[in-house]
Amino acid sequence: MLNPDIYLNQNIFNENIDQKPIRDGYGDALVELGEKNKNVVVLTADLAESTRAHKFAEKFPERFIECGVAEQNMAGIAAGLGVSGKIAFISSYATFSPGKNWETIRTTIIYNDSNVKIAGHHSGIITGPDGATHQATEDIAITRCWPNIKIISPCDYWEAKKATLYSAEVYGPFYLRFVRDKTPIITTEKTPFNFGKIEIFWISENPQLAIFATGHLVYQALLAAKELKEENIDVLVLNVHTIKPLEENKILEISSQVKGIISLEDHQVIGGLGSAIAEVLAKKGGNIPKLVMLGLQNTFGESGTPDELIKKYQMDKEAVKLSVKKLISS
Amino acid sequence: MIEELHENKLRFLEEQAIKIRELIIEMLLEAGSGHSAGPLGMADIFSAFYFHILKHNPQNPNWEERDRLILSNGHICPVRYVAMALAGYFPIEELKTLRKINSRLQGHPHRTSLPGVENTSGPLGEGISQAIGMAISAKLDKKNYHIYCITSDGEHQEGNIWEAYMFLGKNQLSNLTIIIDRNYIQIDGITEEVIPLEPLKQKLESFGLHVLEVDGHNIRAFVDAVREAQSEWKRTSVIIAYTIPGRGIDFMEKKFEWHGKPPNKEEAKKALEELRTLQGKIISEHQ
Ligand SMILES: Cc1ncc(C[n+]2csc(CCOP(=O)(O)OP(=O)(O)O)c2C)c(N)n1
Ligand SMILES: [Mg+2]
C-alpha cells in the first residue's frame, strides 16, 4: 500500500489524476526564491518560457540574464556570479546544459566550486515529438561522475519545487533534472522532502522485490505495484530523488530483504540510476540480489508521444510487471 | 556550374515554393507540434535548392558526386522534408508521419533515419563545422561537388559558429557556401533585442569571408547570389538571406511567437486559403 506517513496524493490511482509539468515546480520555486533572497539570479539561453524561467524574469527583470543561444557563455557567467555571492540558476535543455557546455561547467562551476544550480530541462524520452536530439538521456551519467555535485531528479511538480528551493539553501553546484510534459502529481505539498534520502512510497510486509525508480517513472512503478498486489505479489517502490549522494545504506538494507531489485529511469541504463545501484551492490558483494535495469537500453530515443515512447522503450508499468514476474520465477 | 534561371523555370520554382508552404502547413497540423515560422520563411530558398541549384539524384540519395546540403538549424526540417518529398526522395504521403513514432521524419533531422538527410541537427551551432569537414574531404578527394550550409540568425549567438568562421578565415574553402536565414526572430524575441547580431555583414567580412546580401524571397536574386558565390574561387562565401518568418501567411509573418508552434485546425484552414489565393496572384502576375 501507499506509505501512509508521508502525505502522498490519495488520488494517485484515479484515472483522472491531477497532472502538472515537473518544470512548473522549478518556475514557481524560482519566483518564491526571488522574493525571499535578493542574491538569487536566473539565467537562460533563449529558452525563458520553455524552462519556466519567464515568471521570474517578469517579476525580477534586473536579476534575470538572457544570454541568447550560448550555453557555454551562460555557464561561465553563472560561475562568475556564483563565486561573487550570488546563487545562480542556469536554465536550458539538459542536452545543451549540462550537455553542450559540459567541460565549461566541469572546470568553472564544479571544480571551481561555484554556487550554481544547473537546471536541465526536457530530460528523458518523455520529451516526445522533438526527437532524440532534444531528449536528454545521458545527463545523469555525465553529471554523476563529477565530484562536488548534488543531483536531484524529482518525481513530480511538488518535489521539483521543493528540490529547487532546497538547492538554494546549500552552497555549491547542484544538478536538477526536469521534465517537459504534464505528469501525475504523486506527492502533496505536505510530503516531506529529505535531500539524500530514498523514500519508500509503496510498502509491503514481506516484499519479494524492490523497485527503485526516479523521476516521473515513479508513477509507473506505483501503478505496477498496485496491480501486482492484486495478483498477490508484494513489492516495494522506492523514490530515488537524490541521485547523488546516493543513500547507499538504504539500498543495502533493502537488498538484504528481497530476492531481486529493479531500477527504473527515463535515461540510459548505462551510467544512470541502474548503474549507480549496481555499483553499490557489487561493492558489497556476497549474497546480493539480482538487478534488472529498466531504462533506455544502449539506444537513442525517437519522436513519438510520451505514452508511446515509454511503452516502446519498456519503461511503463507493463514492462515493470513483466520484469517483476520474470525475476520472481527465475 | 549552376544554370542561369529562365523565366519559365523561375515561375516553376515560385509555384513549388507555394506548394512547399501548403504542405508545411498540412504536415504541421497533422503532427500537432513543430516549427512554423522558420520553414515558411525558407520555402523559396529550398525551392531554389532542390529544383534548381543542387546537383543531386533523389533516386540515389547517396550518389558520391552529389552536392551536400547541410542544415544547421535543424528545427526548420519541415521545409527540407517537404522539398525532398516533392523532389521524389520519398512519397508525399509520408510527410504525415512527421514527429510520430516509428517515423523516418524525426522532429529534428537524423542522418541515418532518412536517406538524403546529410547531417543530424537540432542542437544549434554545429552545422558549419561539419560542412567544413565535408569541404576538406571533397578537396582531398579532388571532387567537384559543392557543400552548402544553411544556418539561422539566432543560431549565430553560439560560439561554435564563430570558431568555424575563424577557421575559414585561415583555411579558405571555396567549395563551401554558407546561407544565413536572417529573419530577425528567435525564441525569446527579436534577435536585436535578445543578443544583437548587427553589424552582421561587417563582422563576417572582418573574419575574411566573402559576404553577399540578398532578399530571400526573390528566387532569381538568390540563385544569382549562389552563382556569384561559386565564381568566387578563393574565399568561402556567406549569403545573408533576408527573409520574413512565416512568409506567405499574414497572421504568422514576423511574429516570433510562431517560431515553435504549429497551426491549429482553423489557423491551418485560414493559412491554406491565403496560400491558394496568393498562388493565383503570383501565377497571373507572370502571365
Ligand atoms: C544549442 C541549442 N540551444 C538552444 C536550442 C533551442 N532553440 C531551438 S530554435 C532556437 C532559436 C533559434 O533562433 P533562430 O536560430 O534564429 O531560428 P528561427 O526562430 O529564426 O527559426 C533555440 C534557442 C537549440 N535547439 N540548440
Ligand atoms: Mg531567426
Side-chain angles (χ1 to χ4, degrees):
Chain A
M1 64 174 187
L2 282 179
N3 185 344
D5 301 332
I6 52 174
Y7 309 99
L8 294 176
N9 180 1
Q10 291 307 308
N11 298 323
I12 285 183
F13 299 116
N14 288 5
E15 282 226 350
N16 38 16
I17 177 177
D18 300 332
Q19 304 209 12
K20 217 173 177 177
I22 287 178
R23 59 177 165 167
D24 285 15
Y26 175 64
D28 291 350
L30 288 184
V31 172
E32 265 185 52
L33 285 171
E35 275 154 11
K36 276 202 304 229
N37 189 334
K38 65 173 176 30
N39 286 323
V40 169
V41 180
V42 177
L43 299 86
T44 192
D46 199 25
L47 286 169
E49 187 182 340
S50 204
T51 62
R52 296 298 187 257
H54 66 303
K55 294 181 189 169
F56 182 96
E58 283 157 22
K59 277 212 142 155
F60 311 102
E62 73 289 350
R63 282 188 276 143
F64 173 74
I65 302 174
E66 170 66 79
C67 300
V69 197
E71 294 79 12
Q72 288 186 56
N73 193 35
M74 173 170 73
I77 293 171
L81 287 162
V83 294
S84 311
K86 303 293 176 289
I87 306 167
F89 286 82
I90 57 175
S91 328
S92 183
Y93 297 161
T95 45
F96 315 141
S97 173
K100 200 189 239 319
N101 56 9
W102 186 86
E103 190 277 335
T104 306
I105 295 176
R106 176 182 187 264
T107 304
T108 70
I109 296 173
I110 311 296
Y111 188 35
N112 196 40
D113 194 27
S114 181
N115 199 8
V116 178
K117 321 300 169 184
I118 304 147
H121 289 260
H122 284 35
S123 72
I125 57 171
I126 194 182
T127 302
D130 272 336
T133 54
H134 285 54
Q135 300 164 349
T137 49
E138 299 80 29
D139 53 312
I140 293 175
I142 63 170
T143 52
R144 193 170 75 79
C145 52
W146 280 330
N148 191 33
I149 181 121
K150 300 178 173 69
I151 304 174
I152 309 177
S153 161
C155 70
D156 70 355
Y157 166 84
W158 285 116
E159 207 165 84
K161 187 169 175 195
K162 290 167 201 164
T164 306
L165 293 172
Y166 175 78
S167 73
E169 285 171 22
V170 181
Y171 183 94
F174 273 71
Y175 175 52
L176 308 168
R177 183 176 210 245
F178 299 118
V179 168
R180 172 184 191 271
D181 236 55
K182 278 185 182 162
T183 54
I185 297 187
I186 300 167
T187 64
T188 61
E189 195 167 4
K190 278 173 82 177
T191 305
F193 175 74
N194 297 310
F195 177 78
K197 294 282 171 205
I198 294 174
E199 311 273 2
I200 304 184
F201 273 19
W202 182 268
I203 53 180
S204 296
E205 245 170 56
N206 287 306
Q208 293 164 273
L209 296 176
I211 306 165
F212 289 83
T214 191
H216 67 93
L217 289 176
V218 170
Y219 177 66
Q220 297 298 325
L222 289 170
L223 292 180
K226 176 165 183 283
E227 290 177 17
L228 288 165
K229 175 80 199 164
E230 285 155 14
E231 299 177 42
N232 286 319
I233 300 173
D234 286 332
V235 300
L236 295 174
V237 173
L238 299 112
N239 172 30
V240 189
H241 50 59
T242 306
I243 302 281
K244 191 166 185 177
L246 192 61
E247 197 188 359
E248 299 196 4
N249 287 340
K250 186 75 161 199
I251 293 172
L252 292 175
E253 178 197 317
I254 301 280
S255 72
S256 67
Q257 302 164 15
V258 294
K259 181 178 173 198
I261 286 178
I262 291 173
S263 62
L264 178 63
E265 61 196 308
D266 190 350
H267 182 277
Q268 301 287 356
V269 294
I270 298 175
L273 174 64
S275 290
I277 292 172
E279 289 160 15
V280 174
L281 296 178
K283 273 189 288 183
K284 174 172 174 283
N287 189 17
I288 52 172
K290 185 168 176 184
L291 170 67
V292 171
M293 297 192 266
L294 297 180
L296 215 45
Q297 306 290 334
N298 198 27
T299 176
F300 283 106
E302 63 176 295
S303 294
T305 67
D307 287 348
E308 288 168 343
L309 290 168
I310 63 166
K311 186 160 188 261
K312 177 168 175 177
Y313 292 92
Q314 291 172 23
M315 302 175 192
D316 66 345
K317 67 168 183 182
E318 298 304 332
V320 175
K321 280 162 60 182
L322 196 68
S323 298
V324 166
K325 287 177 187 170
K326 271 197 199 153
L327 254 177
I328 285 176
S329 60
S330 68
Chain B
M1 198 58 215
I2 302 159
E3 274 175 47
E4 213 178 304
L5 198 52
H6 296 296
E7 197 56 31
N8 51 355
K9 184 72 185 284
L10 173 64
R11 200 185 309 161
F12 171 72
L13 295 182
E14 286 171 348
E15 283 167 20
Q16 287 296 87
I18 293 167
K19 221 177 271 172
I20 290 174
R21 290 192 169 91
E22 286 179 19
L23 286 168
I24 288 172
I25 294 292
E26 284 171 9
M27 95 191 276
L28 286 173
L29 174 67
E30 177 70 31
S33 69
H35 301 77
S36 298
L40 290 165
M42 288 296 282
D44 300 300
I45 286 176
F46 272 79
S47 174
F49 266 118
Y50 273 90
F51 302 103
H52 191 75
I53 296 170
L54 287 181
K55 186 172 66 177
H56 66 139
N57 180 0
Q59 268 67 54
N60 182 12
N62 294 325
W63 176 42
E64 269 280 314
E65 308 299 325
R66 74 190 184 279
D67 290 339
R68 270 54 165 180
L69 182 65
I70 306 308
L71 183 62
S72 186
N73 49 330
H75 65 275
I76 72 162
C77 60
V79 66
R80 177 176 208 154
Y81 292 151
V82 170
M84 284 174 68
L86 284 172
Y89 280 87
F90 57 86
I92 297 213
E93 200 49 24
E94 196 173 341
L95 292 173
K96 292 209 173 107
T97 68
L98 173 71
R99 294 181 157 252
K100 304 233 162 107
I101 196 151
N102 301 323
S103 171
R104 300 195 293 170
L105 310 192
Q106 288 296 296
H108 292 81
H110 180 220
R111 188 174 74 91
T112 54
S113 286
L114 184 66
V117 164
E118 303 282 3
N119 67 308
T120 299
S121 57
L124 295 167
E126 298 167 358
I128 301 177
S129 305
Q130 293 175 72
I132 290 173
M134 293 180 188
I136 292 173
S137 176
K139 279 205 154 170
L140 289 173
D141 294 345
K142 303 203 168 26
K143 294 280 187 189
N144 279 327
Y145 57 80
H146 202 83
I147 291 95
Y148 299 95
C149 180
I150 294 181
T151 71
S152 49
D153 52 1
E155 183 178 22
H156 274 66
Q157 291 156 356
E158 284 289 353
N160 196 155
I161 295 232
W162 301 94
E163 294 172 25
Y165 285 147
M166 218 182 307
F167 180 93
L168 286 170
K170 178 179 181 230
N171 307 275
Q172 294 286 353
L173 293 163
S174 58
N175 57 347
L176 167 63
T177 303
I178 295 159
I179 293 98
I180 303 177
D181 174 17
R182 184 70 170 119
N183 66 6
Y184 289 90
I185 64 157
Q186 58 187 104
I187 293 181
D188 284 351
I190 308 294
T191 57
E192 299 317 284
E193 285 170 10
V194 175
I195 295 287
L197 299 174
E198 293 299 327
L200 184 58
K201 183 173 189 234
Q202 283 90 320
K203 284 180 187 167
L204 297 168
E205 280 172 345
S206 73
F207 276 64
L209 299 155
H210 174 228
V211 187
L212 298 161
E213 290 176 295
V214 70
D215 171 0
H217 303 301
N218 183 334
I219 292 179
R220 175 177 295 290
F222 181 72
V223 170
D224 285 347
V226 175
R227 282 162 56 88
E228 191 184 331
Q230 297 213 336
S231 62
E232 160 70 47
W233 55 276
K234 253 178 125 175
R235 291 172 299 169
T236 299
S237 298
V238 182
I239 302 174
I240 304 178
Y242 294 94
T243 66
I244 295 170
R247 168 76 168 191
I249 291 147
D250 208 41
F251 61 90
M252 291 187 182
E253 283 192 358
K254 297 190 186 171
K255 296 206 174 72
F256 67 84
E257 294 82 356
W258 281 99
H259 156 89
K261 68 172 177 177
N264 62 30
K265 239 181 158 164
E266 279 125 68
E267 289 161 341
K269 196 166 160 249
K270 236 176 108 185
L272 288 172
E273 272 168 22
E274 203 182 316
L275 287 169
R276 282 167 191 154
T277 47
L278 181 75
Q279 187 173 25
K281 204 177 89 193
I282 285 187
I283 289 167
S284 65
E285 266 173 14
H286 288 282
Q287 274 164 355

